[in-house]
Amino acid sequence: MMRLSILGIALSSNSYYCASLSVIPPIPTSSSSSSSLSFSKKFTPSASGLSLSNPNLTGKFVTGKRNLVLRGQSGGFESELKPGDLMESEKEFPEFNRNLYPSIEPYSSGFLKVSDIHTIYWEQSGNPNGDPVVFLHGGPGGGTAPSNRKFFDPDFYRIILFDQRGAGKSTPHACLVENTTWDLISDIEKLREHLEIPEWQVFGGSWGSTLALAYSQLHPDKVTGMVLRGIFLLRKKEIDWFYEGGAASIFPDAWEPFRDLIPENERGSFVDAYGKRLNSDDQEVQYAAARAWTMWEMMTAHLFPNNDNIKKGEDDKFSLAFARIENHYFVNRGFFPSDGFLLDNIDKIRHIKTTIVQGRYDVCCPMMSAWDLHKAWPEADLKVIQDAGHSANEPGIAAELVAANENLKHMKKGGQENKDKNIRE
């Protein structure tokens, strides 16, 4: 029997009521059906009121085994669901922390030579004896930042960050030689072994979600859980949407400078045209293309423009690695053997506890990819932030990423307590 739990809203005078609506479909052999409606919390909306684009509420939709949660970024209220309506992973769970943790510094860092050409930067922070988690940054080519550490409880987690080949502090900078998805997966394993970690949790957003899926499908026995954000499956339709004019319908002002760098007779494929310039023998041509490519993404990564993010497009060093490496991977379709490779191999990781966090209005990695992943992998929890774009730093997305890590932390603590109890007995 499938139970459908819906957040309902009733209007009474100047107040709204939250209702938990549970609908039980009729049993096939009977024409009868039943439903129940219960009102829970009452609140007065903020001055801005309620709107589809910026709801002042938090809600849940749970459909069978789909594990789908819809949330707004601002506070508000949440429906009081009956225990039978909750997802299995949320039953009897306390309310998790959703606030970013304070800034911390690494307790160790270094460089690991992973090939004759490449050396990658790595660092560790948090608890040296804690549960290990590896952070996979986006791009590819984006590199890590100190703020990436703040998604994790430093008392519980041993937090590992590293810059992928050619990105951040890794050398050589912006290098495309021996730089493929499979090389990066090999680097992750070399780093895990270097740090003497038997297995670890994997956290990745945007391209980081792509790499997390590919890594876990190749090494499922090394992954204790995953948190994925802004799903990118690197399919042709996703590349075409963002780089060949689809997203331009939403951000025409940001698109035109990106478009105008390329002559009209080369606009049949912007990815190829930019690839030609990003690999030019003229460094100034490279920098001009890199700035335009990076600025296009930085201007579309947030629901509301973020000036600090946009300024990255003006940084030639950052832009060159970001644009060259991204373009290199996109021209080569992620080096995957087929367009639907990651979806085709979900069975290899179906057992891994995973939370997917997706901004409803993500233009860079539109929700269709998270939805396709959700349909192929209903066992994973999908949390849709109703008023967010792409960036992990948007309030609603950041809150859900922290909560997802807290969820896995809670599960691991519970598992360890049960092991300790069995040993004592």
Side-chain angles (χ1 to χ4, degrees), residues 237-253:
K237 67 179 181 180
E238 295 168 68
I239 300 295
D240 289 349
W241 157 259
F242 192 65
Y243 292 104
E244 303 299 342
S249 61
I250 301 174
F251 285 94
D253 49 341

Side-chain angles (χ1 to χ4, degrees), residues 81-132:
L81 303 178
K82 299 176 182 178
D85 295 333
L86 295 176
M87 293 185 295
E88 199 65 34
S89 61
E90 294 189 338
K91 289 181 181 179
E92 301 179 0
F93 274 21
E95 179 63 26
F96 296 126
N97 171 51
R98 298 178 184 275
N99 297 315
L100 291 169
Y101 283 92
S103 298
I104 56 174
E105 294 299 318
Y107 63 78
S108 72
S109 63
F111 290 87
L112 178 65
K113 191 169 181 60
V114 292
S115 77
D116 291 339
I117 297 174
H118 291 275
T119 299
I120 62 171
Y121 167 79
W122 61 267
E123 63 172 55
Q124 298 187 93
S125 57
N127 182 352
N129 299 311
D131 196 81

Side-chain angles (χ1 to χ4, degrees), residues 159-193:
I159 308 160
I160 296 100
L161 274 59
F162 77 97
D163 290 332
Q164 297 158 28
R165 295 189 181 201
K169 298 177 183 178
S170 294
T171 60
H173 184 71
C175 179
L176 306 182
V177 180
E178 293 182 9
N179 197 338
T180 73
T181 304
W182 311 110
D183 290 318
L184 300 188
I185 290 173
S186 175
D187 294 349
I188 297 171
E189 276 298 277
K190 288 175 181 175
L191 180 60
R192 183 187 62 77
E193 293 169 358

